[in-house]
Amino acid sequence: MPELTLSELDSTGSTVNELLIHVVGLGVKENVKLDQETQDILNQADCVMGSVRQLETVADYLDASDNGQVSGYRQVLPPIKELKARFESFKQDGKNNIVVLASGDPLFFGIGGWLSRHFDAKQLRFTPAVSSVQAACHKLGISLQNAQVVSVHGRPVETIRRHLQANKTLVLLTDSNSTPQVLAKECIDAGLSQSKLHICEAIGYQQEKLSHFIAADLVELKSLVFDSLNVVVIETSNQTSFFPEFPGIEDEKYITDKGDGKGMITKRDVRLSILSLLQICDTDVVWDVGAGCGGVAIEMSYWHEKAHIYAVEHHLGRQECLSANRTRFGVMNNLSLVSGRAPESLLTLPKPNKVFIGGSDGNLDSILSHVWQTLDTNGVLVASAVTENTKLALQQFFQARLEAGDAETESKQVSQSKLDLLAGQQVYRPSLPVTLFRFRKLN
């Protein structure tokens, strides 16, 4: 989305006044006290936008500023999807000095992030204040640098699962769907039933309240109602969590089409080799073609929250398992499911810089051709082969890259044997070897 420019030409070719947006943090107090500089910002504004509660918080200052003379001086902040259009209307109406109210620190899980993505930095002025997260940590004596802040506000509550490991301090920004009881159940389901939950309600208001629970106890208090303005701090227990802290998720933890861990997933040892070849980074856009039940796609999404993974699968049963695993591991925010066959299903996807091909349904040649044309210089393609037919196709592609001199190439074979019992005796049963190919595009 293009940035809104600092100044533009009107229909006659002359320059119109620049649009300037002041983002004012109000802190977490019921009766905010603004310094003179911030009061001057309100006095000079053409419009002040905020939630109903925020506008009420500064009502006395606004009454002193508008004098009933400026039409639309105070406005309720619209839904985020309508915000760009609202700013466009301000420009058309000649309103060039806008104030946006924020609850605390506008650039910490606040509206400031959206504004920074859509406006030039020269158009923005920020006045920060203490955030609810900071206030909660001070109430509880928790050093913020030792905690992890997680927002489940407007997000599926299951996204907390990627953070539910033992001995962690989580500070959660919540909404009506992520009540303390719901969060307690997430702890219990993760195997962390003895985790401590601290609920900080209505911080800075007269009804402010701090309460403390063990997850196993809180989940039973279904009738207990908390103020909707709350921050929940979870100190996870020293128990073994279902959710991993290191790459290499056990096969048995995946939901598959043939029983947990036994269906169409890339097994752990091979999966780790694939992850090491791909080397996912936070800024990556990755295609997982033939994702099966999601072995590789889940690991990529789980460990790299800011990367975006597109898992392509056409088999309906495996799609259902892939979707279930996506929820099980809480990776809905950055793992997109794509139903369909490749390469046709790839045509409308965002351009990747890394691709893994784990399955092709007989279309490997056309998939390889499409992917290689799509990748830019330094793009990475990793593919796996179990059958001789797939291996032959990849070897031919490998040879073509060598002859063209357009790739940095690597290949290895991964095999494993697992301990089992045969007639009461220990034996190692070998799995089929998997051949991996890696190509980094040079030009």
Side-chain angles (χ1 to χ4, degrees):
M1 189 176 294
E3 291 179 340
L4 301 179
T5 56
L6 185 62
S7 60
E8 297 178 357
L9 298 179
D10 63 17
S11 58
T12 64
S14 60
T15 303
V16 299
N17 292 332
E18 64 185 27
L19 178 67
L20 188 62
I21 303 169
H22 296 269
V23 190
V24 176
L26 301 178
V28 291
K29 294 184 178 180
E30 183 173 9
N31 299 307
V32 67
K33 187 173 182 179
L34 303 179
D35 58 28
Q36 188 58 52
E37 182 180 355
T38 306
Q39 292 181 50
D40 291 342
I41 291 173
L42 295 179
N43 290 334
Q44 297 164 10
D46 295 321
C47 176
V48 177
M49 288 197 299
S51 68
V52 173
R53 178 174 57 84
Q54 290 164 348
L55 292 171
E56 290 175 351
T57 301
V58 295
D60 291 342
Y61 295 103
L62 299 184
D63 290 340
S65 299
D66 67 5
N67 297 317
Q69 297 176 2
V70 181
S71 174
Y73 172 71
R74 63 184 85 189
Q75 296 185 20
V76 175
L77 193 71
I80 202 75
K81 62 183 179 180
E82 301 174 13
L83 199 49
K84 184 184 176 185
R86 181 69 60 89
F87 280 110
E88 291 287 357
S89 70
F90 287 149
K91 291 198 299 182
Q92 295 172 5
D93 295 340
K95 294 180 178 180
N96 302 306
N97 197 347
I98 309 299
V99 170
V100 177
L101 302 177
S103 295
D105 184 343
L107 288 170
F108 189 69
F109 291 100
I111 194 170
W114 184 92
L115 292 168
S116 294
R117 291 191 298 272
H118 291 82
F119 291 87
D120 190 282
K122 296 178 181 179
Q123 294 176 268
L124 301 173
R125 303 288 186 274
F126 292 98
T127 302
V130 173
S131 68
S132 59
V133 165
Q134 291 172 293
C137 286
H138 281 86
K139 296 287 182 183
L140 298 169
I142 293 172
S143 295
L144 187 54
Q145 73 265 21
N146 296 327
Q148 183 173 2
V149 181
V150 180
S151 177
V152 287
H153 184 87
R155 298 170 171 86
V157 70
E158 293 88 353
T159 56
I160 191 182
R161 295 175 181 177
R162 71 195 318 155
H163 306 290
L164 286 177
Q165 292 94 26
N167 302 310
K168 294 181 70 173
T169 299
L170 305 176
V171 184
L172 304 178
L173 297 167
T174 63
D175 62 16
S176 59
N177 294 316
S178 50
T179 64
Q181 289 93 335
V182 169
L183 296 172
K185 187 175 187 305
E186 287 293 330
C187 290
I188 293 170
D189 291 346
L192 304 171
S193 61
Q194 296 305 301
S195 297
K196 298 177 182 177
L197 281 81
H198 310 283
I199 294 87
C200 307
E201 303 175 69
I203 301 175
Y205 288 74
Q206 288 184 352
Q207 69 270 30
E208 176 184 305
K209 182 180 178 182
L210 269 66
S211 49
H212 315 275
F213 302 89
I214 298 298
D217 298 329
L218 178 56
V219 77
E220 299 299 329
L221 303 175
K222 296 180 174 60
S223 61
L224 186 59
V225 178
F226 296 91
D227 193 292
S228 59
L229 288 176
N230 70 68
V231 174
V232 177
V233 177
I234 300 178
E235 293 181 287
T236 59
S237 56
N238 186 24
Q239 295 172 279
T240 301
S241 174
F242 174 85
F243 299 104
E245 294 189 67
F246 194 83
I249 299 172
E250 298 97 316
D251 297 339
E252 294 75 18
K253 289 188 175 180
Y254 285 96
I255 300 167
T256 74
D257 50 344
K258 294 183 180 178
D260 289 1
K262 298 179 181 179
M264 190 61 71
I265 62 165
T266 302
K267 302 304 186 285
R268 178 166 62 173
D269 296 298
V270 176
R271 196 185 324 132
L272 284 168
S273 292
I274 292 168
L275 294 175
S276 71
L277 291 174
L278 284 167
Q279 293 287 312
I280 304 300
C281 302
D282 282 347
T283 56
D284 286 342
V285 175
V286 187
W287 292 352
D288 181 354
V289 182
C293 298
V296 174
I298 295 296
E299 288 253 14
M300 290 192 290
S301 306
Y302 187 86
W303 301 114
H304 299 280
E305 189 172 0
K306 294 182 181 179
H308 207 112
I309 318 300
Y310 293 84
V312 181
E313 178 56 51
H314 75 90
H315 188 281
L316 292 179
R318 294 168 197 156
Q319 287 178 24
E320 293 175 358
C321 295
L322 177 55
S323 179
N325 284 318
R326 180 173 176 250
T327 300
R328 169 173 278 194
F329 290 95
V331 294
M332 294 80 78
N333 285 345
N334 67 326
L335 175 57
S336 298
L337 309 186
V338 182
S339 175
R341 295 178 183 273
E344 293 78 13
S345 58
L346 307 176
L347 299 178
T348 58
L349 297 184
K351 191 171 185 176
N353 64 308
K354 291 177 182 174
V355 177
F356 171 61
I357 302 175
S360 61
D361 196 36
N363 295 327
L364 184 55
D365 287 339
S366 57
I367 294 172
L368 287 169
S369 176
H370 176 78
V371 167
W372 197 246
Q373 292 176 26
T374 302
L375 285 172
D376 287 332
T377 300
N378 291 319
V380 172
L381 165 62
V382 174
S384 64
V386 176
T387 68
E388 293 303 316
N389 289 346
T390 303
K391 191 188 303 181
L392 177 60
L394 283 167
Q395 287 172 337
Q396 291 173 342
F397 184 78
F398 187 94
Q399 185 62 36
R401 304 282 63 78
L402 292 178
E403 293 173 0
D406 61 355
E408 178 185 276
T409 58
E410 179 182 354
S411 182
K412 64 179 178 179
Q413 196 167 78
V414 181
S415 60
Q416 63 172 336
S417 299
K418 283 191 174 183
L419 185 65
D420 200 357
L421 292 177
L422 177 64
Q425 299 296 310
Q426 294 181 349
V427 296
Y428 282 88
R429 294 189 182 277
S431 299
L432 290 173
V434 179
T435 306
L436 301 178
F437 295 82
R438 181 185 185 272
F439 308 90
R440 184 175 70 86
K441 194 168 185 177
L442 298 179
N443 51 60

